[in-house]
Amino acid sequence: MTAPTTNTWSLTAPNFNFGTQTASSSVINSNATGDTAIKIVNLSGTSTSFSLQQSISDFTLVSNTVVLPATGFYVSVANSSDGKLIGSSNVNIFKQNGVVLRSGTGANGTMNSGAVTAQLTVDGTTRVIVTGSYKATITSTLVTGP
């Protein structure tokens, strides 16, 4: 059997649920813990250096296109226990790319980060917060090289 020479990387990232929040006419900071660690699998056979960039879209009501007046989405990722993954703290990925994780020593095989947390900042002082359930999409990009 021959190992594949392409598509030798895979990535699994957590989901966040901020639960029920009380809307107000002030700035709201809501915290959530990801439902899983970030899992990166490198089957290339090498310890190629890499970084994980993420960005998150606007939060929109599930029922229509109303946008939540969010101003920031800050991600913190704890280091892996084996030193293969180095996390970052308080990286704002709201509608912009931010590096949330980098490779450490011997970054190959199956690697799991430590806990992943997020803080969503919503500004209700300038726009009305419409009641309902909101969703957003996190885009993850694995960038190899120094």
Side-chain angles (χ1 to χ4, degrees):
M1 180 173 191
T2 303
T5 57
T6 60
N7 298 322
T8 56
W9 294 79
S10 70
L11 168 70
T12 305
N15 295 304
F16 298 97
N17 184 340
F18 291 90
T20 302
Q21 304 294 320
T22 302
S24 66
S25 59
S26 63
V27 175
I28 303 166
N29 290 309
S30 300
N31 298 307
T33 299
D35 62 354
T36 185
I38 294 173
K39 178 180 179 182
I40 296 174
V41 179
N42 171 7
L43 299 179
S44 68
T46 66
S47 295
T48 302
S49 63
F50 62 86
S51 63
L52 175 63
Q53 297 178 3
Q54 292 186 317
S55 66
I56 191 165
S57 66
D58 274 321
F59 285 77
T60 57
L61 268 176
V62 171
S63 59
N64 61 39
T65 59
V66 171
V67 175
L68 185 69
T71 58
F73 190 90
Y74 300 86
V75 174
S76 294
V77 180
N79 297 344
S80 64
S81 60
D82 60 8
K84 291 183 177 185
L85 299 175
I86 309 301
S88 299
S89 295
N90 296 319
V91 178
N92 186 4
I93 65 168
F94 186 60
K95 299 194 300 186
Q96 63 187 3
N97 279 330
V99 175
V100 299
L101 190 68
R102 294 184 186 282
S103 57
T105 304
N108 58 39
T110 300
M111 301 164 279
N112 292 293
S113 72
V116 183
T117 58
Q119 181 179 70
L120 171 63
T121 303
V122 178
D123 186 354
T125 61
T126 58
R127 289 186 32 214
V128 174
I129 300 171
V130 177
T131 302
S133 294
Y134 290 83
K135 66 178 179 176
T137 301
I138 296 176
T139 302
S140 298
T141 305
L142 198 59
V143 180
T144 58

